[in-house]
Amino acid sequence: MPKTIHRALPDRTVFHRGAPVFAGLAAAAAVLLAACGGGGSGEPAEVAGQKAEAAQAGLQIAFAVPLDQAVFDLGASVPVSLALQSGTGALPDGLAVDFSAASGSFIPLAASLLGGEAVTAFTPTAAGRQTLTASVASGTLGGGNAATASRTLYVRPAPAPMEILVPAYFYPSAGSPWDALAAGTQAYPSVSVTAILNPNNGVFTRANPEFTAAARSFVHSGGKLLGYVYTGYGSRSISKVKGNIDKYLSLYGTGLVSGFFIDEMSSAPGRLAYYRQLFDYIKSKGATLRVVGNPGTVPDAAYAAVADTLVTFENRQASFADYDPRATGGWLYQLANSRQNALVHDAANCAAMQASVRAAATARMNSGVIYVTDDTFDPDTQEDNPWDTLPAYWTQLLGTVDAVNRGATLPTC
């Protein structure tokens, strides 16, 4: 029986951004509106009184939008709004609020208070974790008063169209799911479909003619194939893994195999050198060979350098709603969605599948490579194999991904 994809224990990694680089603009009393009588020694008594009271009572400044830890696309214009108040209540319109961030721009950079609210727009120029800071300078209100507030958000690269990666761990006998796999791929040429070829857990000395025939049919239908190899979470002899890779290339050839699926990938920093060696070996065989690593969870951030795509979620559909890259520091938002893969099983029906695909496409999940099946597996007991057939809604899965990519209405279940 083909080997089941296993999950590894997660390692939490926190990603830090650098300090803000925009200097705050000095705010002066001259920014008060002319309607209030101007600034300087000649300002009206009620304005001077407002400033003195606010300076004594203390300023409070708080972001209203964006929401804390919201996720946006790189280059998007992010509305920013914050509220200011003092212990006395009202603040004078025209009060200057300065904004800064590690990477990006604000328009305007210094916003004027109007009705207790300051509004600007932030355009991020780098992916990953960002901290926005707003401040009112000391002395603005005629005293030693000052206030600052910050807001964390995440920025992901602009998303690519979603694609499907199928763990095709079924034997290509007559009438097998390989036929439906090829037919569906041909029916949806706009959807990129990749399947994992898994003859004898990737350990073989000759090409299986039935696998060869199924592989040719699938590739001729527009699909791509990855050769399956397992690594025992970095404990398997790397020479044996390399030998498996060589057999795929020599017996099935690059005309059929366009990359490798590295199963049982560790997520721990201590195993990184093993996977670096394996990644470099595959790339030495062909720079365009795609490497998909499967830790089955979010690994240490350094693993981004040893795989083109990482399986960062592999579990039941019921758990997918809780999947959140922010929980491990948000470093995954530095990666394009095409570099993140979710394998979702136990999605009982078409509606559950569509909910998972929609969720994967959100900025928060950022999973651009997806597979959803109604096949079952118990991660606790390791019983069953969730990849030994195609889901009953295989055609609807293709149609759903196609619709999401086009921004169209999802097909009826």
Side-chain angles (χ1 to χ4, degrees), residues 62-70 130-134 149-153:
F63 279 87
V65 293
L67 297 178
D68 192 39
Q69 299 194 66
Q130 290 271 12
T131 299
L132 310 186
T133 301
S150 62
R151 172 112 315 167
T152 296
L153 56 83

Side-chain angles (χ1 to χ4, degrees), residues 8-354:
L9 294 177
D11 295 292
R12 292 190 174 270
T13 304
V14 179
F15 175 74
H16 300 283
R17 297 293 304 179
V21 296
F22 292 114
L25 300 179
V31 302
L32 296 176
L33 294 177
C36 294
S41 59
E43 64 188 3
E46 71 261 26
V47 174
Q50 270 186 321
K51 292 166 62 177
E53 290 175 5
Q56 292 174 0
L59 278 173
Q60 292 182 341
I61 181 170
F63 279 87
V65 293
L67 297 178
D68 192 39
Q69 299 194 66
V71 185
F72 299 92
D73 290 347
L74 185 64
S77 180
V78 180
V80 178
S81 173
L82 50 85
L84 282 79
Q85 63 181 10
S86 72
T88 61
L91 286 168
D93 287 346
L95 187 68
V97 181
D98 299 334
F99 294 92
S100 63
S103 181
S105 60
F106 292 90
I107 299 177
L109 184 59
S112 297
L113 190 68
L114 181 62
E117 182 183 29
V119 177
T120 186
F122 173 64
T123 302
T125 55
R129 184 173 178 171
Q130 290 271 12
T131 299
L132 310 186
T133 301
S135 62
V136 175
S138 175
T140 298
L141 295 172
N145 201 9
T148 62
S150 62
R151 172 112 315 167
T152 296
L153 56 83
Y154 296 93
V155 181
R156 68 166 181 167
M162 295 187 75
E163 53 183 296
I164 296 174
L165 174 64
V166 183
Y169 299 178
F170 30 80
Y171 194 84
S173 56
S176 79
W178 276 98
D179 296 337
L181 181 63
T185 300
Q186 189 170 33
Y188 286 89
S190 63
V191 178
S192 177
V193 181
T194 302
I196 304 168
L197 185 69
N198 187 2
N200 198 40
N201 291 331
V203 181
F204 51 85
T205 57
R206 65 180 184 86
N208 181 308
E210 291 176 302
F211 271 109
T212 299
R216 284 175 178 164
S217 176
F218 175 67
V219 171
H220 290 164
S221 297
K224 298 178 182 178
L225 283 171
L226 303 178
Y228 174 95
V229 292
Y230 72 95
T231 62
Y233 305 100
S235 65
R236 188 176 180 227
S237 165
I238 199 165
S239 63
K240 290 184 178 180
V241 179
K242 290 179 179 178
N244 296 158
I245 290 167
D246 291 341
K247 289 298 182 184
Y248 276 108
L249 296 176
S250 63
L251 297 176
Y252 289 98
T254 54
L256 295 179
V257 177
S258 57
F260 292 91
F261 184 81
I262 312 302
D263 198 16
E264 298 180 346
M265 175 180 267
S266 175
S267 61
R271 294 293 186 180
L272 186 64
Y274 176 100
Y275 292 99
R276 163 57 69 187
Q277 185 179 354
L278 193 56
F279 179 80
D280 290 345
Y281 184 77
I282 293 171
K283 294 298 184 178
S284 73
K285 299 293 182 178
T288 62
L289 290 172
R290 186 179 187 181
V291 180
V292 178
N294 181 32
T297 188
V298 179
D300 184 88
Y303 277 79
V306 296
D308 297 310
T309 301
L310 288 167
V311 179
T312 54
F313 178 90
E314 184 200 346
N315 209 328
R316 295 186 178 104
Q317 190 264 346
S319 300
F320 193 45
D322 297 326
Y323 171 68
D324 190 345
R326 297 173 299 185
T328 49
W331 66 269
L332 283 170
Y333 293 116
Q334 294 180 296
L335 306 182
N337 66 334
S338 60
R339 299 194 61 194
Q340 299 172 65
N341 180 199
L343 298 176
V344 183
H345 53 78
D346 287 82
N349 51 47
C350 176
M353 172 273 292
Q354 290 188 333

